[in-house]
Amino acid sequence: MAALLASAAIFAFVRPVEAERVWISFERHWRATFAKNGLTLPGTPALYDVERRLQAHGVAVGDPILMRIFKREFELELWMQKDGRFQHFATYPICKWSGELGPKLKQGDRQAPEGFYSVDRTALNPNSAWRRSFNLGFPNAFDRAHGRTGSLLMVHGGCGSIGCYAMTNPVIDEIWRLVTAALDGGQQRFQVQVFPFRMTARNLDRYAGAPSAAFWKGLKLGSDLFEASRIPPKVSVCGTQYAFAPGAAGYDGRAPIEAGCPPAAKP
């Protein structure tokens, strides 16, 4: 065992990209095995006890929501608005996402997208082949500015993916309830922030040589604004770059993500 661990450590140090792919592949395999056998993924909240969980957080069905997705960690976070700011309500394990770390570039590349997306009621599909689903809205204004192509990139149930984020059926049922109630309650759109990994300086340094490093640094600007205030940033696309402005207390992320530069920004 010691020799095996030592070999793995050497492999990860010498060939970190390949080691990362092996690790992600392993994660996908055991998660798919759990789902195939009807087992609940470790880390899944107590779905049967959602009312108590809501009460414990001081939020209610119908309050505005926000989501954050972290590929490498295989996690989807759901946040809910309370007293003008968002607080973390639940972290759900992702059963499967396809491709590698990095944004989706073109139709057929099997990549799950990364970036900032805005979802409204028209994106919801209650009769999805994957239980229930909502469309992230890829390509958004940023993706189009870079000539990226693709369609029907979803968050859905089940545990299969060709560019989507699959959450299992029980988990998507809880997410669906909170999503539809928020939209019914007056939130016009909710923001979905999709990252390759937790946007820490350490992680950015770790992937500094990756082809997507500059793109990820841009995403970190929006992530940092939210982390500091717990308010969704106002997001636009200035030229070919994301532009972020702080949101005021009470802002729920309802603005669409469109081309346009903030007053002080230049493309």
Side-chain angles (χ1 to χ4, degrees), residues 248-265:
Y251 177 59
D252 63 5
R254 66 179 57 198
I257 297 173
E258 299 176 330
C261 300

Side-chain angles (χ1 to χ4, degrees), residues 3 18 36 50 55 62 71 98 100 114 124 129 144 154 170 172 176 183 189 200 227 230 237-238 257:
E18 288 80 359
K36 182 178 179 180
V50 63
Q55 185 177 18
K71 277 183 172 178
S98 64
E100 301 180 3
E114 297 171 4
L124 307 185
R144 293 192 299 272
M154 309 281 185
I172 201 63
W176 184 264
L183 296 174
R189 299 175 187 83
T200 63
E227 289 280 357
R230 297 298 191 263
V237 179
C238 183
I257 297 173

Side-chain angles (χ1 to χ4, degrees), residues 199 204-205 208 212-222 224 244:
M199 302 305 288
L204 284 179
D205 287 344
S212 298
F215 169 64
W216 292 338
K217 285 183 180 179
L219 296 185
K220 189 176 188 303
L221 298 175
D224 287 350
F244 302 101

Side-chain angles (χ1 to χ4, degrees), residues 109-126:
D109 65 5
R110 294 177 175 259
Q111 279 287 107
E114 297 171 4
F116 283 72
Y117 296 89
S118 185
V119 177
D120 64 16
R121 180 166 292 282
T122 65
L124 307 185
N125 183 1

Side-chain angles (χ1 to χ4, degrees), residues 17-84:
V17 174
E18 288 80 359
E20 187 83 329
R21 288 172 177 159
V22 170
W23 184 85
I24 289 173
S25 178
F26 173 74
E27 285 286 321
R28 287 178 178 143
H29 176 73
W30 77 256
R31 290 165 190 266
T33 301
F34 265 61
K36 182 178 179 180
N37 289 282
L39 301 174
T40 300
L41 291 178
T44 301
L47 304 176
Y48 62 88
D49 204 14
V50 63
E51 299 298 340
R52 183 195 62 78
R53 290 163 44 221
L54 288 164
Q55 185 177 18
H57 284 83
V59 293
V61 174
D63 289 342
I65 65 165
L66 175 144
M67 291 183 196
R68 300 201 302 173
I69 291 173
F70 301 93
K71 277 183 172 178
R72 189 182 186 279
E73 290 79 6
F74 282 77
E75 290 179 342
L76 182 152
E77 292 181 348
L78 193 142
W79 294 64
M80 300 183 74
Q81 194 176 53
K82 179 182 179 182
D83 300 328

